[in-house]
Amino acid sequence: MLPTENRLRRREDFATAVRRGRRAGRPLLVVHLRSGATNPHAPGESAPSTRAGFVVSKAVGGAVVRTAVKRRLRHLMRDRIALLPPGSLVVVRALPGAGDAGHADLALDLDAALQRLLGGGAR
């Protein structure tokens, strides 16, 4: 499970990540990343935690399928949250194919999207 301090909950934070962040699309999901803007070397300023949120619409499937996809994505993101810059906002939006995809397929798409956003992947 993703720790509470790493969860994106406020509507404004989702909007900031989607509107002002970078985007990487994959067949099963789209990842929006808004990098942290604080200076970690500034006196008296601690680095905020990286937060992630998930958007799974009815196009993915029924309530049971949507909940399963959210749980898989939260579990995958828990292991990858440390790779992101401190203070980043991440929104993972599941596309309709994510409901039928397995855990490994979601992991591959999430890794590829994050690698592209962090500057390690080709377009």
Side-chain angles (χ1 to χ4, degrees), residues 1 12 17 19 21 23 30-31 37 40-41 45-47 50 53-54 57 67 74 76 86 91 107 110 120 123:
M1 191 59 113
E12 297 83 19
R19 290 185 187 141
R23 179 182 70 213
V30 177
V31 179
H41 304 292
E45 197 172 313
S46 63
T50 300
F54 306 94
S57 73
T67 302
R74 274 197 308 261
L76 291 169
V91 173
L110 182 61
R123 298 193 126 193

Side-chain angles (χ1 to χ4, degrees), residues 9 28 32 39 44-45 56 63 72 75 77 92 110 117 121:
R9 296 182 184 268
L28 300 176
H32 299 269
N39 182 2
E45 197 172 313
V56 183
R72 286 183 188 144
H75 177 76
M77 202 61 187
V92 180
L110 182 61
L117 289 171

Side-chain angles (χ1 to χ4, degrees), residues 1-2 7-8 14 28-29 52-58 60-78 92-95 98-103 106 110:
M1 191 59 113
L2 198 61
R7 291 187 193 172
L8 199 60
F14 275 89
L28 300 176
L29 47 86
F54 306 94
V55 177
V56 183
S57 73
K58 288 185 180 180
V60 173
V64 173
V65 173
R66 291 194 312 267
T67 302
V69 170
K70 279 187 271 193
R71 285 182 179 195
R72 286 183 188 144
L73 290 173
R74 274 197 308 261
H75 177 76
L76 291 169
M77 202 61 187
R78 179 187 66 186
V92 180
R93 183 168 44 97
L95 296 177
D100 299 327
H103 193 277
L106 286 173
L110 182 61

